[in-house]
Amino acid sequence: MKLPFHLFLIALLLLAASIAAAEKTDFSGSYTLTKIKGGEFGFGPKKGTVWSLEVVQTATAIEVTKVRNGRRFVNTFSLDGTEGIYNDPSGITGKCKGHFKRRYLYLDSLVIVRPKGGPTILDHTTERWELSADLKTLTIQTDVETTNANTQQILPNNVQPWAEVYARN
């Protein structure tokens, strides 16, 4: 009697896992920036240039190629909990990883900044990716948190959250 119950339980768990895996949105594709909302920071596409994304997603990682003002930045975010190497547009390297939570994809990066004469700072950037129901519009909400690396104190942040909206090509 125990054997059929165990088989039923295993089948139920496998079904739940396959349903959860099917719910993960596939962000693979090409996108072009249509607008930036919020974030009083004053950067964006230079006149006459296009910002774009190329995304390749597998079961274990998502590779994101950002083209901004003619420069390419490629990062691979692990989706299995391990950390990868992050290449910041400023030229600094750090760590990164990603995960799904419900219908959202979260991409986290952590970069250590050492300004002259100041404390070592940890910049933690979180991007929350969301595809529209018709899969044609990608919205990336970005938040940045800065922390003093020595005291772990959260610092006042001059970078306000912003959202980038992309159209799928």
Side-chain angles (χ1 to χ4, degrees):
M1 194 69 165
K2 288 183 181 180
L3 183 60
F5 177 74
H6 286 104
L7 289 176
F8 172 75
L9 185 60
I10 290 170
L12 186 62
L13 290 173
L14 288 173
L15 178 63
S18 66
I19 290 171
E23 290 178 4
K24 292 181 182 176
T25 304
D26 186 357
F27 289 88
S28 296
S30 300
Y31 304 87
T32 302
L33 182 72
T34 58
K35 66 181 164 182
I36 297 178
K37 299 187 278 187
E40 305 299 322
F41 46 82
F43 83 84
K46 293 179 182 176
K47 192 170 186 165
T49 62
V50 174
W51 282 17
S52 63
L53 292 175
E54 292 287 333
V55 181
V56 178
Q57 180 179 330
T58 66
T60 58
I62 187 162
E63 181 183 87
V64 179
T65 303
K66 293 182 179 183
V67 180
R68 293 187 169 173
N69 300 326
R71 295 183 58 205
R72 296 174 60 86
F73 307 96
V74 180
N75 286 294
T76 301
F77 296 82
S78 168
L79 298 173
D80 63 6
T82 59
E83 292 182 335
I85 296 173
Y86 178 76
N87 299 299
D88 187 75
S90 66
I92 301 171
T93 59
K95 297 178 182 181
C96 65
K97 62 182 173 180
H99 70 277
F100 283 93
K101 187 172 182 181
R102 294 184 299 275
R103 63 185 183 149
Y104 302 109
L105 169 65
Y106 288 88
L107 301 181
D108 292 298
S109 61
L110 183 65
V111 177
I112 298 173
V113 181
R114 294 182 175 90
K116 291 184 179 178
T120 301
I121 295 173
L122 301 174
D123 272 343
H124 177 214
T125 302
T126 301
E127 295 181 354
R128 186 187 77 188
W129 289 34
E130 178 182 16
L131 270 175
S132 61
D134 63 5
L135 305 177
K136 293 182 180 181
T137 303
L138 170 63
T139 302
I140 302 174
Q141 176 69 41
T142 303
D143 294 294
V144 179
E145 180 179 273
T146 57
T147 307
N148 182 315
N150 299 323
T151 66
Q152 300 303 309
Q153 177 184 9
I154 296 174
L155 301 172
N157 196 341
N158 294 330
V159 180
Q160 298 299 311
W162 73 91
E164 297 172 15
V165 181
Y166 290 85
R168 186 174 242 160
N169 300 332

